[in-house]
Amino acid sequence: MTTTGTARETTTLTGPGAARQHTLRERNLELVARAVFEVPEPLSRAGVAAATGLARATVSTLVDQLVAAGLVRELPAVTGGRAGRPAVPLVPAPRSVVGLGLEVNVDYLGVRVLDLTGDAVAERVVPGAFHDSDPAVVLSRLGDIAREVSDGVAASGMTVAGARLALPGLVDPRTARLEVAPNLGWSSLEPVPLLGLGALDVRVANEAKLAALAELAGGSDVVAPDSFIFVSGDVGIGAAIVVDRELFLGERGWNGEIGHVVVDPSGPRCSCGAFGCLEQYAGKEAMMRAAGLPPDAPLGSLVTLLADADADLPAGRALGSALADFVNLFDVSTIVLGGAYTELLPWLRADVEAVLADRVLAAPFVDLQVRAAQAGPQAALTGGAREVLQVVLADPAAWV
């Protein structure tokens, strides 16, 4: 067997599974890109070499390629008060390669564009009523919006790397197929062709799972924990389970349908066909009705009513009951509430925490935390765009 390079750069040149030189280069490009992208403070070429174990000459060549490809940007050189050449900090390149997040929700269509720095460079959110809607009409409309937004960023010199479509239901990401979305009234559907976005790489995912990925990036106030249950409360209620900063997907990626956990078998009929599901008590429309407001009233109306009345939401106990089941099953002690629940948490917290303390077997031994999401409104749009950019980061050689 013949090898060449340093310990980190060894390439096997013979044998049935021999690695090729370009495969080594691809791996090293990824190492260098991740070293630049995944640190809190910018590294220089020397810092990247120290972080990756690659030779400085190798790092310098790869950094030059990433800069030329528009993935990495060099900041002005800084001196550290020592002899030698000034260090040139390296950062993700802004407004170059971008990812597109798309979403169909029950009451809005959304498009958001993020660049490699994580900044939103463009977005459109269009309110609507999409209960029992025609998927061909709705997805075509979303495709038109996405095309307008992507054409705008392209005209500014940015390149759209791909898109993720967030849907509120059972999505098979392997086949890009939506099996069922009860609140939309959609089933047995291949949504990507209906967008009409041509050759753009579009993949499909569950809304709550993409929102959880956005939450992993953290916010200005709170660093995301390594493991948590994320619950997205809207007309429907979805959840995602994050363990050691990775989504737990189950056998098909269909887990997390907490909105269809039954909290009262004798309760009202749900859109899924069952009775007494959590959505009938803690979904946004259900909470509006319980407060005497129109189901399609803006969330701010409910917040104002609760603040004036200084009362808790009755939905809190139902939500706490379903969450207690999740905590007992998955042994995760942090619950992050997103969507409408982020604003409503002050009026949900007391009942949710009381039920968790009463029903979670491990409650006397662990610190159960309920916190508001940090990812902001329409978090699935952010998570979808971020996931596109993670694919770019995993294979920067494709852009060099």
Side-chain angles (χ1 to χ4, degrees), residues 55 59 67 121 151 156 161 233 251 273 324 367:
V59 167
V67 170
V121 297
D151 286 349
S156 299
E251 186 176 347
D367 179 21

Side-chain angles (χ1 to χ4, degrees), residues 79-100:
T79 57
R82 293 180 294 179
R85 289 184 296 178
V88 177
L90 304 168
V91 295
R95 306 179 73 85
S96 55
V97 177
V98 297
L100 200 64

Side-chain angles (χ1 to χ4, degrees), residues 90-264:
L90 304 168
V91 295
R95 306 179 73 85
S96 55
V97 177
V98 297
L100 200 64
L102 314 176
E103 184 178 1
V104 178
N105 212 307
V106 176
D107 53 4
Y108 65 85
L109 303 178
V111 176
R112 183 171 292 153
V113 184
L114 263 61
D115 70 6
L116 292 165
T117 71
D119 286 343
V121 297
E123 73 171 61
R124 279 189 65 189
V125 176
V126 180
F130 302 108
H131 278 298
D132 298 321
S133 56
D134 183 335
V137 173
V138 173
L139 289 165
S140 176
R141 184 181 176 194
L142 178 61
D144 290 342
I145 298 169
R147 195 158 35 249
E148 292 170 9
V149 172
S150 57
D151 286 349
V153 299
S156 299
M158 294 174 259
T159 301
V160 179
R164 292 293 180 274
L165 171 61
L167 294 172
L170 295 185
V171 174
D172 189 337
R174 301 165 298 181
T175 62
R177 182 178 173 86
L178 173 71
E179 298 299 344
V180 63
N183 287 311
L184 293 175
W186 296 3
S187 62
S188 303
L189 178 68
E190 294 182 4
V192 173
L194 299 176
L195 291 168
L197 293 177
L200 184 67
D201 178 25
V202 183
R203 306 179 195 180
V204 188
N206 171 266
E207 170 268 334
K209 291 178 175 59
L210 288 179
L213 291 179
E215 193 64 24
L216 270 172
S220 58
D221 299 327
V222 179
V223 176
D226 289 342
S227 301
F228 58 92
I229 296 168
F230 179 86
V231 182
S232 177
D234 210 283
V235 175
I237 307 170
I241 303 157
V242 175
V243 179
D244 294 333
R245 305 192 70 78
E246 297 284 344
L247 283 174
F248 174 74
L249 294 175
E251 186 176 347
R252 301 176 187 85
W254 294 349
N255 65 344
E257 290 297 325
I258 191 173
H260 300 289
V261 169
V262 174
V263 295
D264 181 1

